[in-house]
């Protein structure tokens, strides 16, 4: 047993790989409770997955909601694609290594994680571009089915790129199309006022990127359909983090990324999904040759592919796509119910510790406390949020910061543990108690926060 500076006894360090324990002792953590957290990690049925990720020493990584941690298989896969498939196979690899089919092969793997069914998803492009394509399809379908409807509804607090893309689309279409913004409260209440007979379709992000608020897909989609509109979901902050049943919920179209909770790698390609009901009707305006029915016939005019390949546009980034597959394969082996259960347990613990150990500071938990309304992150506000996050990162606890005042902590159940949460709150307490954020280096902002 070690004796701390203040005379208390600390538990011995139980995890030899984790030398951060000594820091915890220095900042005055309650060792008994940390031991309980470590025990929960030891009992965690998902614990084995942690070994499949590259987690730098002396680092607690809580930004998987922005960029997922590197998979251990990524480097080897990239090396293989570059050296063998590209280096030796050369152009033959479009056929021989299955490059041409990768968007649909990966699409089915994503679909397995989000309840999309086979043949309904492709992995390609960015979320922003896929949203433009999906929203264009919704415009065209509603122009045929409900020509008077020219309003696109989305959350005021949606990720800005979604709003920007919809604005760009409305401007491109002209002819009375407009984007209207609704508050989260309107969405959770089932659209009591905003879903008028002018609304053609609604675009909703499943989990709010800033607060971590989760919207109920099934009841919200039903409300949208009852109002005569189509529902497009953005799954960027939920795919890989919680159980999703796209087809079962009646959703019409969906998009999402693979670089957050699916660990695809920085800028890895996104996905787009179409419901069975719209499978023969959806179109897209970016009618490049990869979405053509017979791209190598080199016909002078465009005939769309019959299936989901129609949502492709141009030549795909094969190295990035191949690396993304490694992340998808790891997630495909995980039980999503267990992932969700652990995610909620981690965020419960985080919130409980913020409540009990930081109550003497001006911090507020802005993530909903109800499980049914919570994604897989905890967001708290502090008036000096940016500087506090900078100080945390300096101490090896990596989350991120979003305006205004929001510190985000992403909880990826496959590699984040209960002791990580305990340690994070203890380091945060030390930073706040001792105003360690109040230093010049924590006021300097890079291009990316
Ligand atoms: C909810 C949401 N939608 C869309 C995007 C934009 O994604 P992309 O940069 O792949 O277009 C993001 C990016 O973080 C996001 O969080």
């Amino acid at each position: 047993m070690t004796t701390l500076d203040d005379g208390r006894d600390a538990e011995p360090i139980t995890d030899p790989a984790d030398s951060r324990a000594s820091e915890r002792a220095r900042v005055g953590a309650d060792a008994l409770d940390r031991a309980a957290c470590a025990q929960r990690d030891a009992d965690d049925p998902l614990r084995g997955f942690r070994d499949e990720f590259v987690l730098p020493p002396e680092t607690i990584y809580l930004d998987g909601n922005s960029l997922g941690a590197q998979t251990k298989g990524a480097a080897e896969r990239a090396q293989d694609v570059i050296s063998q498939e590209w280096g030796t196979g050369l152009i033959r690899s479009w056929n021989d290594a299955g490059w041409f089919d990768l968007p649909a092969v990966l699409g089915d793997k994503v679909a397995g994680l989000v309840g999309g069914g086979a043949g309904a998803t492709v992995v390609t492009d960015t979320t922003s571009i896929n949203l433009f394509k999906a929203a264009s399809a919704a415009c065209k379908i509603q122009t045929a089915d409900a020509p008077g409807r020219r309003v696109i509804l989305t959350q005021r607090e949606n990720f800005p790129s979604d709003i920007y893309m919809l604005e760009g689309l409305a401007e491109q279409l002209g002819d009375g199309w407009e984007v209207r913004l609704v508050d989260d409260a309107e969405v959770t209440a089932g659209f009591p006022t905003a879903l008028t007979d002018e609304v053609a379709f609604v675009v909703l992000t499943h989990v709010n990127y800033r607060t971590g608020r989760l919207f109920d897909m099934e009841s919200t989609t039903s409300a949208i359909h009852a109002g005569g509109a189509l529902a497009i979901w953005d799954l960027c902050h939920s795919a890989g983090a919680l159980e999703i049943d796209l087809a079962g919920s009646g959703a019409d179209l969906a998009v999402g990324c693979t670089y957050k909770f699916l660990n695809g790698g920085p800028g890895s390609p996104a996905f787009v999904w179409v419901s069975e009901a719209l499978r023969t009707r959806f179109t897209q305006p970016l009618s490049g040759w990869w979405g053509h029915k017979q791209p190598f016939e080199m016909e002078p005019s465009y005939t769309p592919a019959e299936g989901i390949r129609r949502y492709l546009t141009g030549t795909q980034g094969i190295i990035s796509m191949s690396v993304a597959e490694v992340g998808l394969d790891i997630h495909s082996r995980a039980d999503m119910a267990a992932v969700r259960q652990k995610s909620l347990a981690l965020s419960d613990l985080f919130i409980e510790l913020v409540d009990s150990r930081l109550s003497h500071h001006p911090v507020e938990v802005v993530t909903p406390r109800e499980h049914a309304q919570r994604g897989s992150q905890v967001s708290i506000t502090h008036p000096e949020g940016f500087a506090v996050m900078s100080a945390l990162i300096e101490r090896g606890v990596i989350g991120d910061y979003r305006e205004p005042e929001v510190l985000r902590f992403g909880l990826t159940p496959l590699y984040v543990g209960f002791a990580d949460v305990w340690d994070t709150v203890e380091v945060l307490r030390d930073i706040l108690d001792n105003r360690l954020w109040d230093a010049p280096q924590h006021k300097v902002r890079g291009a990316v926060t």
Side-chain angles (χ1 to χ4, degrees):
M1 200 70 89
T2 312
T3 303
L4 300 179
D5 291 350
D6 60 6
R8 290 179 299 122
D9 287 337
E11 285 288 309
I13 298 168
T14 48
D15 180 354
D18 189 352
S19 64
R20 289 190 308 267
S22 56
E23 168 162 41
R24 255 125 27 216
R26 274 201 307 282
V27 300
D30 179 335
L32 187 65
D33 283 355
R34 185 179 193 280
C37 291
Q39 187 58 51
R40 289 178 81 176
D41 286 333
D43 297 340
D44 173 13
L46 297 175
R47 189 66 177 174
F49 282 102
R50 193 173 165 108
D51 294 336
E52 309 212 25
F53 297 92
V54 177
L55 298 167
E58 305 298 314
T59 304
I60 300 177
Y61 192 62
L62 302 183
D63 214 0
N65 54 323
S66 196
L67 172 64
Q70 187 196 324
T71 53
K72 280 192 181 156
E76 194 185 328
R77 182 76 189 108
Q79 181 67 37
D80 189 47
V81 176
I82 292 168
S83 307
Q84 299 302 319
E85 297 181 6
W86 179 19
T88 306
L90 290 162
I91 201 164
R92 292 168 291 196
S93 287
W94 285 108
N95 290 318
D96 298 350
W99 287 357
F100 187 71
D101 295 326
L102 275 183
V105 169
L106 266 64
D108 279 347
K109 292 186 178 186
V110 170
L113 297 167
V114 298
T121 314
V122 275
V123 168
T124 184
D125 296 331
T126 65
T127 306
S128 303
I129 290 172
N130 286 337
L131 180 62
F132 188 83
K133 294 186 285 192
S136 299
C139 283
K140 201 151 181 207
I141 290 164
Q142 288 294 67
T143 300
D145 292 358
R149 292 173 177 260
R150 292 282 156 94
V151 169
I152 305 168
L153 218 57
T154 192
Q155 295 132 322
R156 190 181 312 283
E157 282 205 42
N158 200 346
F159 189 79
S161 192
D162 286 13
I163 303 176
Y164 305 159
M165 294 308 286
L166 297 173
E167 283 175 344
L169 175 62
E171 198 179 316
Q172 181 79 12
L173 292 169
D175 207 20
W177 280 94
E178 66 170 285
V179 178
R180 279 190 205 155
L181 304 179
V182 290
D183 292 328
D184 285 0
E186 169 80 12
V187 181
T188 40
F191 301 98
T193 59
L195 202 53
T196 65
D197 60 9
E198 298 167 294
V199 177
F201 63 96
V202 184
V203 176
L204 296 173
T205 291
H206 196 197
V207 173
N208 180 296
Y209 74 101
R210 197 180 353 227
T211 62
R213 174 180 293 278
L214 166 68
F215 296 88
D216 183 72
M217 186 178 282
E218 194 171 344
S219 62
T220 310
T221 301
S222 297
I224 292 168
H225 286 171
L230 297 176
I232 303 181
W233 288 92
D234 178 338
L235 309 181
C236 275
H237 289 268
S238 52
L242 45 104
E243 293 167 284
I244 300 172
D245 185 7
L246 269 179
S249 72
D252 296 295
L253 294 133
V255 297
C257 72
T258 62
Y259 53 73
K260 297 180 193 289
F261 289 105
L262 291 172
N263 303 89
S268 59
F271 62 88
V272 54
W273 171 88
V274 180
S275 70
E276 182 74 46
L278 301 185
R279 200 74 50 83
T280 54
R281 298 192 64 198
F282 75 96
T283 52
Q284 69 126 321
L286 306 180
S287 42
W289 71 310
W290 270 60
H292 192 280
K293 193 174 180 184
Q294 293 172 306
F296 287 90
E297 292 298 315
M298 303 293 173
E299 289 169 358
S301 80
Y302 183 76
T303 309
E306 262 152 37
I308 190 67
R309 278 196 78 91
R310 182 179 296 187
Y311 261 163
L312 301 181
T313 297
T315 309
Q316 309 296 309
I318 296 301
I319 299 169
S320 189
M321 186 124 26
S322 303
V323 169
E325 188 172 16
V326 177
L328 292 175
D329 286 342
I330 292 173
H331 286 272
S332 301
R333 282 188 276 110
D335 171 6
M336 284 308 292
V339 168
R340 174 63 171 160
Q341 197 181 22
K342 181 176 171 192
S343 160
L344 288 171
L346 288 168
S347 54
D348 276 347
L349 174 67
F350 203 121
I351 292 171
E352 204 178 304
L353 290 173
V354 170
D355 284 348
S356 61
R357 302 182 77 81
L358 304 180
S359 58
H360 52 301
H361 290 290
V363 292
E364 191 190 337
V365 175
V366 293
T367 300
R369 285 159 191 269
E370 302 81 1
H371 283 179
Q373 292 183 25
R374 196 191 305 160
S376 198
Q377 74 188 57
V378 172
S379 299
I380 64 176
T381 56
H382 184 281
E384 294 292 341
F386 177 81
V388 173
M389 181 51 74
S390 171
L392 274 166
I393 293 170
E394 189 179 72
R395 294 277 290 274
V397 179
I398 304 180
D400 67 17
Y401 173 76
R402 288 289 175 268
E403 292 291 348
E405 299 186 357
V406 177
L407 296 102
R408 301 193 306 176
F409 300 94
L411 303 167
T412 305
L414 295 192
Y415 55 79
V416 173
F418 294 93
D420 292 328
V421 170
W422 173 269
D423 295 344
T424 295
V425 177
E426 282 311 297
V427 175
L428 181 54
R429 187 160 72 104
D430 186 43
I431 286 168
L432 295 178
D433 282 355
N434 297 299
R435 290 182 66 90
L436 300 178
W437 52 266
D438 196 6
Q441 74 269 26
H442 299 314
K443 309 291 163 71
V444 182
R445 297 193 185 205
V448 177
T449 61

